[in-house]
Amino acid sequence: SVIVPVHNSECWLDECLKSVWEQDFKGTMELSVFNDASKDGSAEIIEKWKIKLEDAGVPVIIGRNDSSQPRGVGFAKNQAVIQSSGTYLCFLDSDDVMMPQRVRLQHEAAIQHPNSIIGCQVRREPLESTERYTRWINNLTEEQLLTQVFTSHGPTVIMPTWFCSREWFFHVGKFDEGGKGIPEDLLFFYKHIQTGGEVFRVNHCLLLYRYHPQAATHSVLEGTIWNHRVRFLEDRVLSSWTSFTIWNAGKQGKKLYRSLSPANQKKVTAFCDVDEKKITKGFYTYEESEERPKPKIPICHFKDATPPFIICVKLDLTGGAFETNLSTLNLKEGMDYYHFN
């Protein structure tokens, strides 16, 4: 079942649904669309493609929310899944376009990896938008698909590329339906990991991934995502560590420290950095603390710091300087350090 939530998507929908029609998959396939209170011409475009797809042997199920207000992406995706019947679910955003081999290649991978969310590589449209993010999506190693789940980039395989079994989807338990401002894909992804789910990526570019101002992503506040990420990090990593170093004595590192639970703040033995000014200062005083005396955390050079590290330095931004520094320590990602950048 190809799952397409729709809300005011008329300018992209033709291209999106045409890409369903162009799939080279030889098995049985259906399209399940849920139209969430669109006020534009989306409904007419869906009806037009229903005739075309059904002529080609692809049944089309259309659900709709006819009220004046959309219920949000999580709700629309859940409804599209509930009304569909395929053994596998292929998620497709109404502003994106699949390559003809997408369903075939991800279906093959899903059979091999039954408890996985299967992703793929993408091509960003327009090309120059979110270059670092796109590089990250396409170049993560198999191990990093699980170790880099705490970064601000969000799920290591992005939602518009998701493919999984229906059974596993319901085992994890559907998308959050809180509506606007809820990062429903991130919350589902975290739940998936916590349930023991795996992450796999087909190393082919199978999706044209559009960037535009109307995308639902832009309605989620950074603070909301930050809080979810911190709680997930505490649950998955910090709960089993007795002490650690925060790599970055600047704004991001201090922000992470302040966001931690009191028990995890006590585990921070030091901040480390390369900035001589910060290192010379010698320590960070947590001014907002209720404790007396206020906690003072030492600041040292990264070469003098003790792993494990939580790294709050942005990747791919320093012309390779940070990456080189990290590699000199010969540490193992997922054991000696995690990125939280």
Side-chain angles (χ1 to χ4, degrees):
S1 302
V2 180
I3 303 298
V4 184
V6 171
H7 174 67
N8 292 347
S9 311
E10 65 178 2
C11 51
W12 307 287
L13 206 45
D14 255 323
E15 228 183 318
C16 170
L17 298 181
K18 180 171 184 254
S19 77
V20 176
W21 186 64
E22 288 175 340
Q23 289 303 297
D24 64 13
F25 179 61
K26 293 287 180 273
T28 53
M29 188 169 78
E30 68 177 9
L31 170 66
S32 178
V33 181
F34 190 83
N35 185 357
D36 188 19
S38 292
K39 301 277 184 289
D40 63 358
S42 294
E44 291 72 27
I45 297 169
I46 296 164
E47 289 299 335
K48 179 185 82 178
W49 279 101
K50 177 178 165 72
I51 296 164
K52 218 166 168 175
L53 282 158
E54 293 194 334
D55 281 350
V58 178
V60 178
I61 306 103
I62 304 167
R64 58 176 65 83
N65 162 22
D66 289 329
S67 72
S68 59
Q69 287 303 311
R71 294 276 304 272
V73 190
F75 173 78
K77 280 192 279 218
N78 286 340
Q79 290 302 120
V81 170
I82 289 162
Q83 69 189 18
S84 72
S85 59
T87 313
Y88 292 93
L89 307 171
C90 173
F91 290 92
L92 175 63
D93 284 354
S94 56
D95 51 358
D96 295 330
V97 180
M98 300 195 279
M99 306 304 155
Q101 63 279 43
R102 179 186 172 191
V103 171
R104 174 171 57 85
L105 293 179
Q106 287 192 307
H107 177 255
E108 284 167 12
I111 292 168
Q112 301 296 316
H113 304 270
N115 298 349
S116 288
I117 289 179
I118 313 286
C120 64
Q121 291 171 319
V122 300
R123 189 172 97 235
R124 201 60 155 139
E125 178 86 24
L127 262 179
E128 67 290 346
S129 56
T130 68
E131 282 177 73
R132 274 176 61 240
Y133 179 47
T134 308
R135 257 200 307 278
W136 181 79
I137 292 165
N138 288 336
N139 295 311
L140 287 167
T141 66
E142 210 169 309
E143 291 79 21
Q144 287 171 333
L145 291 173
L146 282 174
T147 56
Q148 294 205 5
V149 294
F150 307 103
T151 72
S152 61
H153 285 328
T156 47
V157 289
I158 58 162
M159 169 66 221
T161 71
W162 287 6
F163 193 108
C164 66
S165 79
R166 170 183 301 275
E167 192 183 341
W168 184 256
F169 176 81
F170 283 108
H171 178 67
V172 175
K174 301 198 293 186
F175 291 104
D176 186 297
E177 296 187 357
K180 204 172 175 174
I182 299 286
E184 81 294 326
D185 55 342
L186 185 68
L187 295 179
F188 185 93
F189 187 71
Y190 284 172
K191 226 162 37 168
H192 162 75
I193 303 271
Q194 283 161 329
T195 313
E198 301 283 322
V199 186
F200 185 81
R201 187 185 69 218
V202 174
N203 288 324
H204 291 275
C205 174
L206 302 178
L207 190 82
L208 176 72
Y209 180 37
R210 278 211 178 88
Y211 180 84
H212 57 87
Q214 294 84 33
T217 316
H218 301 310
S219 71
V220 183
L221 294 175
E222 215 170 292
T224 306
I225 291 184
W226 174 273
N227 293 334
H228 286 304
R229 287 172 56 214
V230 173
R231 299 291 86 84
F232 190 58
L233 179 74
E234 291 187 313
D235 175 57
R236 302 291 297 173
V237 178
L238 304 185
S239 59
S240 61
W241 284 2
T242 50
S243 65
F244 64 99
T245 302
I246 294 177
W247 189 320
N248 183 349
K251 216 164 76 181
Q252 288 290 303
K254 290 171 180 170
K255 183 181 175 186
L256 172 61
Y257 175 84
R258 292 195 303 271
S259 306
L260 296 171
S261 69
N264 284 319
Q265 284 176 351
K266 287 192 170 66
K267 296 178 185 178
V268 179
T269 49
F271 287 90
C272 73
D273 213 295
V274 289
D275 184 336
E276 289 305 331
K277 264 216 291 266
K278 294 184 182 113
I279 296 163
T280 310
K281 195 178 168 198
F283 54 83
Y284 162 66
T285 307
Y286 180 35
E287 295 293 354
E288 294 90 53
S289 176
E290 303 286 306
E291 285 182 45
R292 295 291 175 271
K294 291 175 180 172
K296 278 184 165 185
I297 299 94
I299 300 173
C300 60
H301 192 276
F302 78 90
K303 284 189 171 154
D304 304 319
T306 312
F309 297 101
I310 295 296
I311 298 175
C312 296
V313 181
K314 287 182 180 176
L315 289 164
D316 195 14
L317 258 194
T318 55
F322 161 70
E323 286 79 358
T324 304
N325 288 341
L326 178 59
S327 69
T328 62
L329 300 180
N330 293 316
L331 300 172
K332 184 167 167 49
E333 185 170 2
M335 194 161 81
D336 304 312
Y337 68 91
Y338 283 92
H339 286 288
F340 187 85
N341 40 326

